[in-house]
Amino acid sequence: MTDARLRHGRASLGLSFFAQGVAFALLVTRIPAIQDRYGISDGLLPVFLAAVPLLAGVGSVVTERLVRRVAPSVVLRWAQPVVVLALLGVAAGSEIWQVALALGVFGLAVGALDASMNMLGVSLQRAYGRSIMLGFHAAYSLGGIAGASLAWVGAHWDLSLLVSYLPVAGVLLPAALVGSRWYADGERGGEQSRGPSGGRGGERGGDAARKGALEGQGVAFKLLLPLCLVMTFAYIGDSTVSNWSAKYLQDVLGSSEELATVPYNAYMVTTLLGRAVGDLGVRRFGAVAVVRCGTVLAAAGFGVVAVAPGAWAGILGFTMLGLGLCVIVPQTFAAAGRLAVESGGPGASDAAVARLNVFNYVGFLVGSPLVGALGDAWSYRWAMVVPMVLVLVTLRYARSFETQQAGYGGGHERPRVVDVGRGGNEV
């Protein structure tokens, strides 16, 4: 595998992360418009919203089994177009059953997409021999900002959902399909896997991939449990910001409606900035140090939010949260892949990533109702203390991010080795 092949695989996967960020942001930021279009009641809306991450969890579990037989790049190649088409389905329907079907397909495809993207990211990082995972998630954050901006344009100009979504889908769909030509699958069970395009020798690569995946499927859940908890608590923190920052600033800190939109924007921007430079920190100081610093900064952010005397102090706290939480999730995926490889070989990595990905959705589902219930029963200031404490649990498990074999930081990098297959996507 040439360095050029690795670069192509990295660029194409970065494009995939970016496209997913755009698609997901377009959906979640236009929920009020979706509700109005289909006449979904306030009582029924939470059911629809909860169904998406629930089905995404199902999609992730199915992907774990699917990649025992086909390479993750194949799953990603077809899951991403389905996500974009499902988004169009949400915009094009007129009956409530149609939006329910479209959101169901969207959820299942997102689960497969998230799992397979991170599988490829972990295997590429292993091939590079240094931290690159945060860069992929930075592309996702950039896509989220772009998608939210496009959604704002649609809302500002009172465009229909279909008019808003169709041009974006017209760009994302062909870009994702063309970019998938250069996806690079990693080493699986001692032999090399093939990319999705097949070509001569594709059967040998596919057999090797299936063999490697089957050999590695038995990764012990107890090995992943600390990382699963970290993932859950990180997404509880993330969903707290996305669902409650505006309400907290307006209702608790007395800001204007316009100012109440600033915290989440600041959170998104600082998340992007933190991830853009995070890989450099991991290479220099090691994953454990970066995760610990991010955890302390995120907890401090929640603390500032909880005691903030006014709106601008609250915005500062949410900004700190973006810089702190942004490093935890990508490093958790990377750590799961490394631990799985060390315990069960390269084939174990994909199963570990798929299982860990489920807890992304667990945290998303738990976070918003937890803070809402505590806020209603107690106070929203004290409700912010709960995700602060949960995030601090990451310090207890920080050593799970350290491995002896990986060498992604601490002043030393593992030399690049050829552990990504030549693949039928090679030019």
Side-chain angles (χ1 to χ4, degrees):
M1 173 61 57
T2 64
D3 283 353
R5 174 68 180 140
L6 287 174
R7 289 195 300 271
H8 292 160
R10 184 178 178 181
S12 63
L13 187 59
L15 175 62
S16 182
F17 271 88
F18 174 83
Q20 170 60 354
V22 173
F24 194 76
L26 280 172
L27 177 73
V28 299
T29 55
R30 297 303 308 271
I31 285 173
I34 295 169
Q35 184 180 12
D36 291 343
R37 177 179 179 84
Y38 291 95
I40 302 170
S41 68
D42 289 340
L44 190 58
L45 182 62
V47 176
F48 278 81
L49 297 181
V52 173
L54 280 173
L55 289 170
V58 174
S60 187
V61 171
V62 171
T63 300
E64 177 193 344
R65 296 182 175 276
L66 191 58
V67 296
R68 299 175 189 176
R69 299 186 177 276
V70 299
S73 60
V74 176
V75 179
L76 178 56
R77 186 183 193 188
W78 297 111
Q80 191 138 52
V82 172
V83 167
V84 176
L85 292 173
L87 186 67
L88 284 179
V90 170
S94 58
E95 303 291 335
I96 198 165
W97 68 266
Q98 293 171 334
V99 71
L101 177 62
L103 287 173
V105 173
F106 186 91
L108 288 169
V110 160
L113 178 60
D114 286 346
S116 56
M117 277 197 315
N118 283 289
M119 289 174 188
L120 289 179
V122 168
S123 64
L124 269 175
Q125 175 163 292
R126 191 164 63 246
Y128 265 83
R130 65 177 188 266
S131 179
I132 60 172
M133 197 68 183
L134 278 152
F136 293 130
H137 285 259
Y140 177 88
S141 297
L142 181 61
I145 293 172
S149 301
L150 291 169
W152 179 87
V153 170
H156 180 74
W157 292 101
D158 199 25
L159 302 176
S160 70
L161 287 171
L162 189 59
V163 172
S164 295
Y165 289 174
L166 193 58
V168 181
V171 174
L172 292 184
L173 196 58
L177 286 172
V178 172
S180 69
R181 175 180 174 82
W182 291 280
Y183 291 153
D185 290 293
E187 178 188 350
R188 313 178 75 201
E191 294 189 61
Q192 312 302 329
S193 65
R194 300 281 295 178
S197 296
R200 287 188 303 176
E203 281 187 31
R204 288 197 306 274
D207 291 342
R210 288 191 288 273
K211 178 183 176 183
L214 289 168
E215 287 174 351
Q217 64 184 270
V219 58
F221 179 71
K222 65 180 181 180
L223 184 70
L224 294 177
L225 181 58
L227 296 175
C228 293
L229 292 174
V230 169
M231 180 69 79
T232 301
F233 298 154
Y235 269 98
I236 287 175
D238 179 80
S239 65
T240 298
V241 179
S242 59
N243 289 289
W244 293 104
S245 59
K247 180 177 176 61
Y248 186 88
L249 217 72
Q250 191 169 356
D251 293 355
V252 178
L253 301 182
S255 80
S256 65
E257 184 177 354
E258 291 79 9
L259 190 60
T261 65
V262 172
Y264 187 60
N265 289 329
Y267 175 80
M268 292 174 68
V269 170
T270 52
T271 295
L272 170 61
L273 293 176
R275 287 174 170 174
V277 301
D279 284 321
L280 298 176
V282 173
R283 296 170 197 170
R284 177 64 182 87
F285 303 107
V288 174
V290 169
V291 168
R292 282 176 173 163
C293 288
T295 299
V296 171
L297 186 57
F302 273 121
V304 169
V305 169
V307 302
W312 287 105
I315 292 171
L316 173 63
F318 286 117
T319 301
M320 294 168 62
L321 273 167
L323 288 172
L325 287 177
C326 70
V327 300
I328 296 177
V329 170
Q331 284 307 301
T332 305
F333 277 119
R338 293 197 300 264
L339 288 171
V341 168
E342 290 171 5
S343 65
S349 177
D350 292 343
V353 170
R355 294 176 192 181
L356 180 65
N357 187 56
V358 173
F359 290 85
N360 153 3
Y361 311 119
V362 173
F364 187 84
L365 280 170
V366 170
S368 181
L370 174 66
V371 171
L374 290 172
D376 290 339
W378 197 4
S379 86
Y380 279 99
R381 287 189 183 273
W382 282 107
M384 292 294 165
V385 175
V386 174
M388 179 186 77
V389 173
L390 293 177
V391 167
L392 281 172
V393 173
T394 301
L395 294 177
R396 168 69 177 81
Y397 298 120
R399 284 292 173 189
S400 297
F401 293 84
E402 181 180 60
T403 62
Q404 295 180 348
Q405 295 180 14
Y408 301 138
H412 58 281
E413 293 183 6
R414 181 166 58 89
R416 285 192 188 181
V417 293
V418 182
D419 59 356
V420 172
R422 279 179 22 192
N425 293 327
E426 190 170 17
V427 265

